[in-house]
Amino acid sequence: MLSAQTTRTVRATLPAVGAAIGDIADLFYKKMFAAHPELLRDLFNRGNQADGSQRQALAGSIAAFATALVEHPDVRPDAMLARIAHKHASLGITRDQYTIVHTHLFEAIVDVLGEAVTPDVARAWDEVYWLMANALIAIEERLYAEAGAVDGSTWRTWEIVERVQETADVATFRLSPCAGDEVPGFRPGQYVSVQVELPDGARQIRQYSLSAAPAETLSITVKRVHGVPEGEVSNHLHAHGHVGSRLTLSAPYGDVPPVDDAAPLLLISAGIGCTPIVAMLDHLVRVDHAGPVTVLHADRSPAEHALRTRHTRLADELAPGAVHFWYESAGAEDVPATRRGRMELTDITIPTGARAYLCGPLPFMRGVRARLIELGVRPADIHYEVFGPDLWLGGE
């Protein structure tokens, strides 16, 4: 792990670096994309770059990693590294790209902090960077080997064999591999990356949770993203994804623990965050899971609740358990087994020793996680999935 001298230097300079990390990240991306425009065109999410969320995620990961090292210099933060590595593997990140990041990141650090970056400070943060980078490279190479993806060649061609319009803005695409490839196994709750070529020639990539248990096909359920900017890939898929269309997919990734042990389960979601939860329920039904499962979901209305029929049916097939849906719209109380308003856990029975899985907007998950801890669920037993840049790194 970190040397004693480096630990002292990083501890002393972490407040200054942390205070400037937003400016450092902003300048880093500008420098890197100027030198390597293909990375913005074909790798990084242009929407997240436009709204700044990717910069926040980078800042969070660097600060969290450095903080973990100085607080526990003999322990590597493997949980955080595994989450990042799975996302990188789904994008096909390779070893040489870490050198590119290093070059432009350290140029940005020097430009922002100026004379404060003495040779000793530079050496210390260089040690931090390569400790993190080499750990990620090792994990990613193992993930590639397990997926049969040599040197990051994770991409395969798939064909849409069925499209189901779940709601006005949500569609499920069932996909079959081309060229005789086998459907890969995966853990419920994992995701795939989808790469599409847009009208301007950019090959943009997005992650989508697998929304059904392993079978003869893979299923992804895509919500069309409105707003400024609009979701480039989700809108492309809704406009051009038809039966017979071909898509480029990564192998399944995602650092998700298994759900089929004896512990009581809490499967909690909001909005399109129900997609990995429905895949977990599908799996639990298929393996005749006998343990207690509590299913909680919040949405704007029954009409906007994607996969509502499957969500309800699968949850009802598991016993013992409980199902509670919350809808914000007026009239939602007329739908059986639902509640009006936002999710509230006050009168929900939380089993002793429960393991929770959360997926939904980040503010929703933060609030639910805090409430679960108040109700006695151990923080280590609360797992989550974030769509897009993970702004929660270090906050578990």
Side-chain angles (χ1 to χ4, degrees):
M1 303 307 289
L2 289 182
S3 65
Q5 178 58 48
T6 293
T7 299
R8 288 192 292 270
T9 302
V10 171
R11 181 180 287 113
T13 56
L14 186 57
V17 173
I21 200 69
D23 292 336
I24 291 169
D26 185 66
L27 184 57
F28 154 68
Y29 278 111
K30 289 178 181 177
K31 287 176 173 289
M32 185 173 68
F33 292 148
H36 299 275
E38 74 281 1
L39 294 178
L40 179 58
R41 185 184 67 240
D42 299 334
L43 179 61
F44 285 85
N45 182 321
R46 296 190 295 193
N48 290 338
Q49 286 297 320
D51 68 17
S53 55
Q54 183 64 58
R55 292 166 171 79
Q56 295 176 54
L58 174 72
S61 65
I62 293 172
F65 186 77
T67 300
L69 290 181
V70 299
E71 290 181 351
H72 307 284
D74 297 324
V75 179
R76 195 174 73 177
D78 282 344
M80 183 181 73
L81 291 172
R83 178 173 290 274
I84 297 171
H86 274 268
K87 184 63 69 72
H88 283 183
S90 80
L91 296 168
I93 298 295
T94 54
R95 177 187 291 265
D96 61 307
Q97 289 168 330
Y98 283 93
T99 301
I100 293 173
V101 169
H102 177 269
T103 297
H104 299 291
L105 178 61
F106 275 74
E107 285 182 2
I109 290 173
V110 171
D111 286 354
V112 171
L113 296 182
E115 295 180 357
V117 185
T118 64
D120 285 344
V121 170
R123 279 193 295 271
W125 282 94
D126 191 68
E127 185 177 338
V128 170
Y129 177 83
W130 283 113
L131 185 63
M132 183 175 184
N134 286 326
L136 288 171
I137 289 168
I139 299 170
E140 287 153 23
E141 288 180 347
R142 174 176 56 79
L143 293 173
Y144 289 139
E146 291 172 353
V150 179
D151 296 327
S153 59
T154 187
W155 305 107
R156 301 290 183 271
T157 303
W158 292 69
E159 182 176 327
I160 299 174
V161 295
E162 185 180 6
R163 171 175 172 159
V164 178
Q165 198 67 36
E166 306 286 357
T167 72
D169 284 323
V170 176
T172 292
F173 301 93
R174 294 194 176 91
L175 303 134
S176 181
C178 300
D181 291 339
E182 294 184 356
V183 177
F186 62 91
R187 291 196 302 276
Q190 290 190 305
Y191 53 83
V192 292
S193 285
V194 178
Q195 183 188 73
V196 302
E197 184 170 349
L198 299 171
D200 65 355
R203 302 181 66 84
Q204 284 281 285
I205 303 169
R206 302 291 185 271
Q207 286 83 33
Y208 295 104
S209 293
L210 294 158
S211 54
E216 293 76 21
T217 59
L218 291 183
S219 295
I220 57 172
T221 300
V222 179
K223 182 175 182 179
R224 189 199 325 257
V225 177
H226 298 290
V228 181
E230 289 202 332
E232 291 187 294
V233 175
S234 65
N235 279 275
H236 180 91
L237 290 173
H238 274 259
H240 303 288
H242 305 293
V243 172
S245 301
R246 294 195 167 191
L247 297 177
T248 302
L249 267 64
S250 75
Y253 293 103
D255 186 32
V256 184
V259 296
D260 48 359
D261 61 14
L265 298 177
L266 299 171
L267 304 182
I268 306 175
S269 55
I272 198 61
C274 67
T275 52
I277 299 300
V278 169
M280 292 178 182
L281 289 169
D282 191 9
H283 169 76
L284 293 171
V285 168
R286 294 186 189 208
V287 299
D288 294 323
H289 182 75
V293 180
T294 301
V295 178
L296 311 177
H297 179 75
D299 225 310
R300 288 195 176 93
S301 71
E304 294 176 87
H305 180 174
L307 306 173
R308 184 168 72 92
T309 300
R310 287 186 63 217
H311 204 168
T312 303
R313 175 179 58 79
L314 292 168
D316 286 343
E317 289 184 26
L318 292 169
V323 183
H324 303 280
F325 293 157
W326 284 259
Y327 298 118
E328 295 180 27
S329 66
E333 59 271 19
D334 296 332
V335 179
T338 64
R339 302 176 179 214
R340 173 78 185 278
R342 299 194 172 188
M343 184 179 293
E344 173 55 60
L345 304 183
T346 302
D347 62 344
I348 301 299
T349 300
I350 305 298
T352 301
R355 177 181 293 172
Y357 296 80
L358 315 181
C359 191
L362 191 53
F364 165 83
M365 291 195 294
R366 280 180 169 150
V368 170
R369 180 178 182 274
R371 183 65 177 133
L372 288 175
I373 292 172
E374 290 175 359
L375 294 171
V377 180
R378 296 192 314 151
D381 289 331
I382 304 174
H383 310 282
Y384 72 92
E385 185 55 62
V386 174
F387 295 147
D390 191 345
L391 305 182
W392 209 351
L393 284 171
E396 294 184 89

